[in-house]
Amino acid sequence: MSKIIIAIDGYSSCGKSSTAKKAAAYIGYSYIDTGAMYRAVTLFFIQNHVSASSEKEVAAALENINIEFRLSTTGLNETYLNGLNVEDEIRKLYVANKVSEVSAIAEVRHAMVAQQRKMAKKRGFVMDGRDIGTVVFPEAELKIFMTADPLVRAQRRQIELMAKGEITDLEDILKNIEKRDIIDTTRAESPLRQAEDAVVIDTTFMTLDEQVDQVILLADMVISQKLRG
Ligand code: DC
């Protein structure tokens, strides 16, 4: 079997995680959501009043953070922070509002990248984030860069939050998305950018199924090319 690494990067809320999760399940690969890791670190910072501007506090906090993914009874990977299931909490807007600030800290990124490389010891996985194809696994055989119109992304996030019982103003979500785009693309440490060899998927007018099909098609092409040597 010729297993590959599939790296999916792109802006927030353009369908990366949902697409990656479904495509991975179809191909029979594991799925690693690196955004969930940065969100879990952010939740820890909020809960423990860690100051993002204090190197000492950040270093001490990182020593005390343990993030794991565990399979739920429904077969989904859920995020655990120091043994507690935080899957729902990390998706809330108060965490989203702070996550770009926390994920811009160099020490936080170094710790997460090291953990991501450790988690993915065996080939045959889909990993999504902002720097997977550029920094974490530049050797990935398939790199996808996802983008979509900010308003469409805000509408999708609103529907997602509503499904979880969180009623949020569309304007607030749009502001959060635009602010995160700026921080994610302009931070000094591994900013979000498209890898030169990435395939761009603009999901503005695509359904989730279409996005998943496109990723599966690309993966099939790369895997069969690899098999042919
Ligand atoms: O994919 P997401 O929206 O759950 O990611 C949350 C935040 O984490 C996002 O604003 C940027 C950051 N992030 C990052 O800096 N690097 C990654 N590999 C993944 C996420």
Side-chain angles (χ1 to χ4, degrees):
M1 265 288 275
S2 201
K3 293 201 164 177
I4 63 166
I5 297 176
I6 303 177
I8 304 186
D9 290 305
Y11 294 96
S12 49
S13 303
C14 49
K16 287 190 310 295
S17 302
S18 317
T19 307
K21 208 178 292 173
K22 281 195 150 190
Y26 183 88
I27 308 169
Y29 277 19
S30 52
Y31 163 62
I32 301 166
D33 174 359
T34 64
M37 298 169 72
Y38 290 97
R39 285 170 181 269
V41 173
T42 305
L43 180 63
F44 184 94
F45 276 31
I46 295 170
Q47 287 175 339
N48 295 281
H49 311 285
V50 176
S51 158
S53 57
S54 158
E55 266 180 42
K56 222 169 125 192
E57 284 188 35
V58 169
L62 288 170
E63 294 269 310
N64 289 303
I65 293 177
N66 178 45
I67 301 166
E68 296 164 278
F69 293 111
R70 294 188 201 163
L71 268 190
S72 72
T73 44
T74 50
L76 291 174
N77 249 341
E78 294 190 328
T79 316
Y80 282 73
L81 171 63
N82 294 335
L84 283 181
N85 186 332
V86 291
E87 186 57 37
D88 288 338
E89 207 56 31
I90 59 170
R91 311 285 165 195
K92 294 190 175 164
L93 199 58
Y94 79 94
V95 176
N97 277 333
K98 210 166 155 59
V99 67
S100 280
E101 187 193 333
V102 172
S103 56
I105 303 169
E107 290 70 28
V108 170
R109 302 208 68 79
H110 296 162
M112 291 305 109
V113 169
Q115 205 168 327
Q116 286 151 17
R117 291 190 180 135
K118 235 188 262 167
M119 276 176 177
K121 272 192 219 96
K122 282 190 289 172
R123 301 192 140 247
F125 59 86
V126 182
M127 189 178 274
D128 82 333
R130 303 294 186 288
D131 56 347
I132 313 305
T134 51
V135 174
V136 187
F137 289 109
E139 72 275 29
E141 289 89 344
L142 175 58
K143 297 179 189 175
I144 291 166
F145 189 84
M146 285 175 85
T147 177
D149 179 82
L151 183 60
V152 171
R153 289 155 55 200
Q155 284 163 340
R156 288 179 189 160
R157 184 51 66 111
Q158 190 183 40
I159 294 168
E160 248 174 51
L161 289 169
M162 235 182 243
K164 288 179 183 155
E166 206 178 332
I167 307 296
T168 318
D169 192 54
L170 187 64
E171 267 303 303
D172 289 343
I173 301 175
L174 185 60
K175 266 192 221 138
N176 169 264
I177 283 180
E178 287 173 338
K179 186 174 148 219
R180 279 165 66 190
D181 283 358
I182 293 172
I183 302 179
D184 292 349
T185 52
T186 58
R187 68 181 174 222
E189 188 73 25
S190 50
L192 166 66
R193 64 176 178 83
Q194 186 191 323
E196 270 174 27
D197 48 350
V199 180
V200 179
I201 301 181
D202 183 336
T203 70
T204 306
F205 301 109
M206 290 174 88
T207 63
L208 177 60
D209 283 346
E210 287 168 341
Q211 292 162 205
V212 175
D213 286 349
Q214 187 141 6
V215 172
I216 293 170
L217 195 76
L218 288 165
D220 269 352
M221 275 166 45
V222 176
I223 294 168
S224 46
Q225 231 168 31
K226 207 173 151 91
L227 280 173
R228 282 199 303 269

